[in-house]
Structures are given as structure tokens and as C-alpha cells.
């Protein structure tokens, strides 16, 4: 059962590895990130970051899409983490079943605008986010389970 879906540029780090995983009682983290899935050093680092007793899979978007039929049959609490809005939008376009996605941390870059405490979006990320919303997935921002949950909105 997929308990939560999150975009966080840090992937598996303290908040994801411990706070969110514990809060969700997640027994498996699935990282869906084209860059991380093709970088052996990053995969090794992510494996070392995961909580003891929690399984970790690291997939490209394409591989994750091909695995979803199997993922749906797992008797586990699953936490899905994307590293960027681009990969999240591509995945959700192929698997439009998520009711909501949490933007937990998107780094400030040149040309990005603040949309929340730790969410900065550039024009491409805004376009990705609009695509996600158009597919019926709500986007909210929440850094920790104990912090305020805020819906992502664009001034149109």
C-alpha cells in the first residue's frame, strides 16, 4: 500500500529516512529518480541513509512504471520519493493514480520563486506541477508530519 508520495531534492535524508518513514510506518522506500538510479555512488549513499529494517528500491521513471503492477501487490507500507518535479510529472503521466503528492523540499536555483518554506520552483517546475495537477493529483507542501500542510497554488 502506497502511504505517501513526496518530491524532495535530497531524496533519502534525515526527514525522509527517519521522521516521515516512522510517521508512515513505511517498510519500503521507493526512490524514483533518473539521475540517482544511474549513479552507482549515489545509490550506495542512499542505501546507507535508509533506516534499518526498511527496504529501498531506486528506479528510473521508466523502470518504476514497469514495476507498478508488482508494487501494487506488495503487502508493505510504501513511501515513494521523487528527486525532482520532472520525474514526478513523467511518472504520474504514466501512472495517474496518486490523489496527492507532497512537495517537501525543492532547492532554490537561479530563476526560481518561493512557494513555501522550502519549495522553490522555476518555470519548468511550475509547468511540471501544472501537468501533475491537470492529471488530477493535488499538490501540497509539508516539510514534516508535525508542520502545517499547505496546498500549492498558482496565481493565474
Amino acid at each position: 500500500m502506497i502511504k505517501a508520495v513526496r518530491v524532495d531534492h535530497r531524496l533519502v535524508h534525515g526527514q525522509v529516512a527517519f521522521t516521515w518513514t516512522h510517521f508512515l510506518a513505511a517498510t519500503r522506500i521507493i526512490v524514483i529518480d533518473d539521475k540517482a538510479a544511474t549513479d552507482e555512488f549515489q545509490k550506495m549513499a542512499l542505501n546507507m541513509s535508509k533506516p534499518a529494517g526498511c527496504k529501498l528500491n531506486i528506479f528510473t521513471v521508466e523502470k518504476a512504471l514497469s514495476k507498478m503492477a508488482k508494487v501494487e501487490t506488495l503487502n508493505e507500507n510504501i513511501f515513494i520519493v521523487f528527486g525532482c518535479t520532472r520525474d514526478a510529472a513523467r511518472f504520474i503521466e504514466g501512472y495517474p493514480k496518486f490523489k496527492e503528492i507532497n512537495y517537501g523540499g525543492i532547492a532554490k536555483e537561479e530563476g526560481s520563486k518561493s512557494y513555501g518554506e522550502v519549495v522553490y520552483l522555476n518555470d519548468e517546475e511550475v509547468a511540471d506541477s501544472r501537468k501533475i495537477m491537470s492529471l488530477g493529483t493535488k499538490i501540497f507542501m509539508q516539510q514534516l508530519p508535525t508542520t502545517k500542510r499547505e496546498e500549492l497554488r498558482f496565481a493565474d
Side-chain angles (χ1 to χ4, degrees), residues 13-27:
H13 59 94
Q15 288 175 358
V16 167
F18 299 101
T19 307
W20 279 103
T21 302
H22 178 74
F23 176 76
L24 299 167
T27 53

Side-chain angles (χ1 to χ4, degrees), residues 72-141:
E72 288 175 349
T73 68
L74 296 175
N75 188 21
E76 297 178 306
N77 290 336
I78 299 168
F79 184 24
I80 295 178
V81 180
F82 293 95
C84 63
T85 60
R86 181 185 65 250
D87 288 348
R90 286 179 41 233
F91 182 86
I92 292 169
E93 193 169 31
Y95 186 84
K97 295 184 179 184
F98 298 144
K99 292 189 182 347
E100 61 183 18
I101 187 167
N102 173 8
Y103 278 15
I106 300 174
K108 184 176 185 176
E109 297 175 352
E110 190 174 328
S112 63
K113 244 176 72 177
S114 174
Y115 285 89
E117 194 177 322
V118 292
V119 174
Y120 297 87
L121 303 175
N122 61 31
D123 291 344
E124 289 173 21
E125 292 162 330
V126 168
D128 293 335
S129 301
R130 289 182 185 276
K131 178 186 261 185
I132 289 168
M133 291 173 176
S134 76
L135 294 166
T137 302
K138 290 184 179 173
I139 300 172
F140 68 95
M141 299 171 292

Side-chain angles (χ1 to χ4, degrees), residues 11 31-38 42 58-61 81-84 87:
L11 297 173
V31 170
I32 302 174
D33 186 84
D34 284 351
K35 190 173 160 192
T38 57
Q42 191 168 10
I58 305 165
F59 297 132
T60 62
V61 170
V81 180
F82 293 95
C84 63
D87 288 348

